[in-house]
Amino acid sequence: MTSMLIENAAGIFTGLSGDAMRTAGAIRIRNGVIVAIGMLQPEPGERRLDAKDCVIYPGLVSTHHHMFQSVLKGVREGINLPLAGWLRSVPYRFWSAIDEEALAVAARIALAELLLSGTTTVADHHYLFSDTFRFDPAQVIFDVARSLGIRLVFCRGGATVSRHFDTDQSVPMPVETLDRMLQSVEACAQRFHDPSPDSLTHVALAPTTPTWSLDPGELREVIAAARRMKLRLHSHLSETSDYVDFCLSVHGKRPVHWLAEHDWLGEDVWFAHLVHLDPEEVAILARSGTGMAHCPQSNCRLGSGVAPADAMARLGGAVSLGVDGAASNEAADMISEMHSCWHTHRAVKGADAVTVEDVVHWATAGGARVLGLPRIGTLAPGQQADIAIFSLDQPRHFGMHDPMVAPVTCAGSAHVRHLLVGGRPVVEDGVIPGLDLQKLKFDAARVVSRLAA
Ligand SMILES: [Zn+2]
């Protein structure tokens, strides 16, 4: 039995909402599970982790990403475009050039950024699957995640119909039949989906968007298949006002009402963005337990708007944070995401719209709820020891009265002293064990120059 004591921290955020967010003392971990929090004395033979001048948060949970985009940052042709033009100019233009090496390098960049911002669980929505690939994208992404020790929810995306973004310069996006998609998801789940409480690998069914990636007649079959396979369903929804206009004009309903008709709501479903919702849609989502992956930085970058995450949370809805792909968020780390979230809502709705504690709750327990992983996202006895220890040793942290809020309010580059996933160190003294960042930098530059050519 291995035992570890994390001691001397300035305080602990538990991930729970309201006053239950704050506690103090030491944390004892045995065999990857938290067994006690409070005034604890070291036991003989116990490993001790010093958290002096640090604050402790639950490991952060990002519920929406496209890790392949981490080699598509700052593409000049797309940097000032809204969603549709950006899709055409960046991911849809480059998708066929993302080979096995580019995908592995991109995943390594994405996960390094996340680990170094205190993230222990990531949901990656991968939607590039083609007969032209001589590799399995799921295998590549799981291999990288396993090598770094992070928890991964692989959201197997794809489409049965093609969105008309293809130009003469781009290869048409791949499509597959619904049968083929579902068989492939089932095979992926058989290989990688492990529902046990300490599992590092999960699979979700995730057609890219219900609106443009599937035939409406297929929606019921998709949700039924997800439930039969006991997988969660993930997709994009209502990211822009164009999205809502399209649904109104083609289906005669706003997106949430349209999906309610097809049984695409529930505690086992979560959508990225949900920016353009009317109050009735917010209430329906909250009542049904349908999750929101709130991606404020990507929504700001693409000029899409500010999602009513605060309103949905006030109704008891399932709100989480996601960094989204780095091609539309060059700051795809959870510290930046939390800071932007805290700022964006207050800029638009006033200083009482969202508190630091709200933001941390969404980035931890909220993420666990949305992903259906109840043993992570909070720090309490019985929970997995997914723990972020942030060091407050930079000038911007000096002079703080309430150090607990510093990782969110001070932003900038987070200084993760230690990060644990199920009690295993995935960042030690600010370094990811076994990852050569210099080599990754050169690999990234080589991939980018090949893509640019
Ligand atoms: Zn997305």
Side-chain angles (χ1 to χ4, degrees):
M1 183 187 294
T2 63
S3 183
M4 183 193 282
L5 189 70
I6 306 172
E7 53 191 351
N8 304 322
I12 299 168
F13 266 178
T14 61
L16 299 168
S17 56
D19 292 342
M21 178 61 86
R22 286 171 194 255
T23 189
I27 301 177
R28 174 161 287 127
I29 301 164
R30 282 214 185 101
N31 295 332
V33 175
I34 297 170
V35 292
I37 299 178
M39 294 304 134
L40 308 171
Q41 294 306 315
E43 292 177 351
E46 193 168 49
R47 186 180 168 200
R48 293 164 72 176
L49 210 57
D50 186 16
K52 186 169 169 18
D53 299 327
C54 294
V55 295
I56 297 179
Y57 283 28
L60 304 173
V61 179
S62 173
T63 59
H64 186 68
H65 205 333
H66 308 287
M67 299 202 298
F68 78 90
Q69 294 181 9
S70 290
V71 289
L72 297 174
K73 297 175 186 175
V75 173
R76 194 167 171 187
E77 291 82 351
I79 198 136
N80 296 322
L81 296 176
L83 179 65
W86 169 86
L87 280 171
R88 185 184 299 113
S89 309
V90 189
Y92 282 60
R93 174 173 149 218
F94 286 105
W95 78 267
S96 64
I98 304 290
D99 61 9
E100 185 170 2
E101 188 210 15
L103 181 59
V105 169
R108 222 167 274 133
I109 295 169
L111 293 179
E113 284 185 87
L114 288 170
L115 289 169
L116 293 173
S117 69
T119 310
T120 49
T121 299
V122 57
D124 184 45
H125 191 182
H126 190 82
Y127 50 77
L128 304 177
F129 295 88
S130 166
D131 290 342
T132 64
F133 293 162
R134 284 189 296 276
F135 61 95
D136 175 8
Q139 183 73 58
V140 172
I141 290 170
F142 273 110
D143 283 349
V144 174
R146 276 186 180 138
S147 73
L148 296 172
I150 201 166
R151 286 188 207 277
L152 175 70
V153 179
F154 183 75
C155 308
R156 202 288 192 185
T160 64
V161 292
S162 178
R163 193 169 178 187
H164 297 296
F165 281 142
D166 307 322
T167 65
D168 292 345
Q169 289 84 46
S170 65
V171 181
M173 284 291 279
V175 293
E176 57 196 338
T177 65
L178 183 61
D179 280 350
R180 180 90 189 271
M181 178 193 285
L182 297 178
Q183 280 163 16
S184 174
V185 172
E186 190 149 29
C188 183
Q190 278 165 2
R191 287 180 67 197
F192 299 111
H193 185 66
D194 172 5
S196 62
D198 59 348
S199 163
L200 297 183
T201 59
H202 300 264
V203 173
L205 172 53
T208 310
T209 166
T211 317
W212 286 294
S213 308
L214 296 171
D215 183 276
E218 297 170 331
L219 291 175
R220 277 187 176 278
E221 203 176 328
V222 168
I223 185 70
R227 287 174 178 152
R228 178 178 54 75
M229 293 187 251
K230 296 189 169 52
L231 301 180
R232 296 175 98 76
L233 182 72
H234 178 49
S235 199
H236 292 96
L237 200 76
S238 298
E239 183 170 353
T240 62
S241 52
D242 291 351
Y243 196 109
V244 178
D245 293 344
F246 177 87
C247 269
L248 282 168
S249 66
V250 174
H251 305 299
K253 290 188 163 62
R254 295 182 63 89
V256 171
H257 294 277
W258 176 61
L259 287 184
E261 225 176 58
H262 292 87
D263 205 19
W264 263 50
L265 303 179
E267 290 175 0
D268 54 351
V269 181
W270 85 105
F271 295 108
H273 305 303
L274 297 171
V275 174
H276 293 272
L277 301 174
D278 71 11
E280 203 182 327
E281 288 178 293
V282 172
I284 293 170
L285 290 170
R287 209 164 44 236
S288 61
T290 309
M292 169 190 280
H294 180 31
C295 306
Q297 292 197 131
S298 174
N299 299 153
C300 287
R301 154 69 147 87
L302 294 169
S304 302
V306 180
D310 52 334
M312 195 160 140
R314 273 195 297 278
L315 296 176
V319 176
S320 65
L321 286 190
V323 296
D324 204 3
S328 65
N329 175 17
E330 284 81 357
D333 72 78
M334 283 292 280
I335 289 290
S336 300
E337 202 67 47
M338 288 196 298
H339 182 68
S340 296
C341 179
W342 185 60
H343 269 179
T344 308
H345 289 271
R346 293 155 82 106
V348 175
K349 302 163 201 171
D352 60 351
V354 163
T355 65
V356 168
E357 286 83 352
D358 291 335
V359 172
V360 174
H361 178 63
W362 299 348
T364 57
R369 177 179 172 191
V370 160
L371 298 179
L373 303 175
R375 297 290 296 280
I376 64 162
T378 49
L379 300 183
Q383 291 293 81
Q384 286 288 304
D386 287 15
I387 300 176
I389 303 174
F390 294 105
S391 170
L392 306 181
D393 55 2
Q394 294 298 303
R396 71 173 56 210
H397 303 129
F398 303 165
M400 286 294 291
H401 285 236
D402 178 7
M404 289 312 300
V405 301
V408 177
T409 60
C410 299
S413 184
H415 289 252
V416 176
R417 185 177 295 173
H418 300 292
L419 186 67
L420 305 177
V421 174
R424 289 176 297 272
V426 291
V427 176
E428 286 183 294
D429 283 322
V431 173
I432 301 171
L435 182 68
D436 183 342
L437 282 183
Q438 279 301 316
K439 179 178 184 303
L440 184 56
K441 184 171 87 173
F442 289 121
D443 289 346
R446 189 178 61 249
V447 168
V448 166
S449 58
R450 182 173 64 71
L451 292 173

